[in-house]
Amino acid sequence: MRAVCVLGTGLIGGSLMRAAARAGREVWGTAASEPTAAAAVADGFDVTTDTDAALARADEADALVVVCVPLTALEAVLRRVDAVAPTCRLTDAVSVKVPVADAVAQFAPRTRFVGGHPMAGTAESGWPAGSADLFAGAAWVAAADDGLDVEVWRDVAELAWDCGSRVVPAAVDEHDVAVARISHLPHLFAAVLASVGAGEQGDDLALALSASSFADGTRVAGTRPELVLAMCEGNRGALLAAVDDALGRLGAMRGALASTGGLAATVRSGHEARMRWASTREPLEVPVDLGAPDVFAELRELGRRGDVVEPVKR
């Protein structure tokens, strides 16, 4: 199994290290601060704050380098990649893909890059929040644009499978449109819902009465604001389209409530959509010949159908 170098050991990077190690991979990583590195070392992991040393080791071992830093920190990390391991196998776990692909093309253009995005997380953050089970059963997006390195694509897929995830291929622009609707918009809705529920300062009756519907709907509002800002503002164009769609539906719902008192169209549409979501929880696993000349077109179509790639036996 290919060794893994993880740059950034917060919730996602820390969980990835734990899952990769449990799968039997050699894994090491970097942290942004000495206390985080010390906490990881105390848990038995090889983590340093010396990014150049970690990358030099990755270059020598031909490891897969996984960037797990916020979008705002990406440029600095990619510059070090280009300086120390310029032709390495590279992937990432950032929640947007077009800006990452653009940044890699600008700051680390010689790397063998295939974007990735494990669709997993919690409202907690940092190394202590990590878990080897975080990715179990989760969708893990592997970029499937034409011209990518098939060998590195396999590396990314195998890492995802080792972490217990389902591999969903997608073009980077289609990924960003999709996550704007099912990840970034929910973060904004959670923020609005939490604010509406809280009401005026000093009047906590509504909060005292709140139960699971409010708790579930506002869970991600507990995420550190800087992390939410990085991913949402980094996907501005796609998120604006999702917000416009939501506002149109809210406007139609308000008009119906004000004029007739009826909410049937909104409630039934939402119920049907939720049932469609439930039906996607057990996707079809499809075998893919990674040696086929049009493999990435096939992978993109597979992802659009909601299917996943059947794991390849080593």
Side-chain angles (χ1 to χ4, degrees):
M1 290 187 285
R2 191 172 301 282
V4 178
C5 172
V6 179
L7 305 181
T9 47
L11 170 66
I12 299 300
S15 297
L16 198 157
M17 288 193 73
R18 292 173 170 95
R22 185 171 67 181
R25 289 182 182 248
E26 180 184 10
V27 58
W28 61 92
T30 66
S33 69
E34 290 290 354
T36 298
V41 169
D43 286 341
F45 290 87
D46 187 351
V47 176
T48 178
T49 57
D50 190 340
T51 300
D52 284 7
L55 284 169
R57 180 177 172 186
D59 190 49
E60 182 178 355
D62 195 21
L64 177 64
V65 177
V66 188
V67 179
C68 298
V69 301
L71 188 62
T72 50
L74 186 62
E75 178 182 338
V77 170
L78 291 177
R79 287 186 181 277
R80 298 319 308 154
V81 171
D82 188 55
V84 181
T87 60
C88 70
R89 301 167 187 264
L90 184 69
T91 187
D92 73 298
V94 182
S95 62
V96 291
K97 297 272 66 74
V98 172
V100 173
D102 290 346
V104 170
Q106 181 176 359
F107 301 113
R110 294 172 289 174
T111 57
R112 299 167 67 185
F113 176 66
V114 174
H117 182 201
M119 301 296 298
T122 71
E124 304 301 319
S125 60
W127 173 266
S131 168
D133 296 320
L134 182 67
F135 309 112
W140 191 308
V141 176
D145 298 88
D146 292 334
L148 295 177
D149 188 315
V150 173
E151 186 178 327
V152 179
W153 194 94
R154 184 192 292 270
D155 288 336
V156 174
E158 289 180 344
L159 177 61
W161 290 324
D162 280 351
C163 291
S165 295
R166 300 175 279 110
V167 174
V168 181
V172 293
D173 56 345
E174 293 178 0
H175 164 277
D176 286 2
V177 169
V179 296
R181 292 158 56 191
I182 54 84
S183 177
H184 303 163
L185 182 65
H187 272 88
L188 299 187
F189 272 6
V192 172
L193 181 59
S195 298
V196 171
E200 296 295 327
Q201 190 73 30
D203 182 1
D204 286 347
L205 175 61
L207 295 178
L209 297 177
S210 64
S212 59
S213 59
F214 183 79
D216 292 346
T218 61
R219 178 183 63 82
V220 295
T223 306
R224 282 166 45 199
E226 62 269 26
L227 299 180
V228 177
L229 290 172
M231 66 180 178
C232 290
E233 292 176 353
N235 199 21
R236 179 174 177 265
L239 183 53
L240 277 171
V243 169
D244 286 344
D245 186 1
L247 288 175
R249 293 171 188 269
L250 285 170
M253 179 269 290
R254 188 196 183 283
L257 182 63
S259 61
T260 67
L263 294 171
T266 296
V267 172
R268 287 173 180 160
S269 176
H271 181 266
E272 290 171 2
R274 174 70 182 195
M275 293 303 100
R276 281 180 60 197
W277 171 83
S279 71
T280 68
R281 296 307 87 192
E282 296 184 4
L284 180 66
E285 291 187 346
V286 179
V288 175
D289 178 8
L290 295 181
D294 58 349
V295 62
F296 287 116
E298 180 183 352
L299 285 169
R300 291 192 297 272
E301 184 56 34
L302 183 156
R304 293 183 191 116
R305 296 196 305 266
D307 297 332
V308 299
V309 181
E310 181 179 77
V312 177
K313 294 182 180 180
R314 291 190 178 94

